[in-house]
Amino acid sequence: MGDKTTICQRLTAEGADPAIVEQYRKYEETGNIRGQYGLVCRFRREKNEALKEEREKLACLDYLIAQLEQGSFGQ
């Protein structure tokens, strides 16, 4: 996966905002590896935080389902 075009494609496929992909390309053009690295790391952190929030929502739904299955919800 060393091809930089592939990285831009992966960022897009993973839902990166077009501004992020454009910034990555600018860093690529100027040879700013630290900028590229930082940008991808920031995007990963954002995705990880969003995933964490979604997992918490699923856990709440699992709890509600368990309560409904036990017949003890709302009592």
Side-chain angles (χ1 to χ4, degrees):
M1 193 174 104
D3 181 43
K4 290 175 177 63
T5 302
T6 302
I7 293 173
C8 288
Q9 290 172 343
R10 289 291 298 184
L11 286 170
T12 300
E14 294 301 325
D17 188 87
I20 291 173
V21 177
E22 184 59 32
Q23 184 63 53
Y24 182 89
R25 287 192 175 115
K26 287 179 183 178
Y27 286 145
E28 178 185 8
E29 289 170 5
T30 61
N32 186 341
I33 301 297
R34 284 187 174 194
Q36 292 170 315
Y37 176 81
L39 190 73
V40 174
C41 286
R42 265 191 316 277
F43 179 64
R44 184 192 183 284
R45 278 193 303 272
E46 291 170 6
K47 292 288 283 186
N48 192 46
E49 186 60 34
L51 179 60
K52 180 182 172 186
E53 291 172 8
E54 290 302 315
R55 285 183 176 161
E56 289 171 0
K57 290 176 186 177
L58 284 174
C60 288
L61 290 173
D62 289 343
Y63 173 78
L64 291 175
I65 290 169
Q67 293 299 306
L68 289 168
E69 287 174 344
Q70 294 174 7
S72 61
F73 189 75
Q75 297 181 5

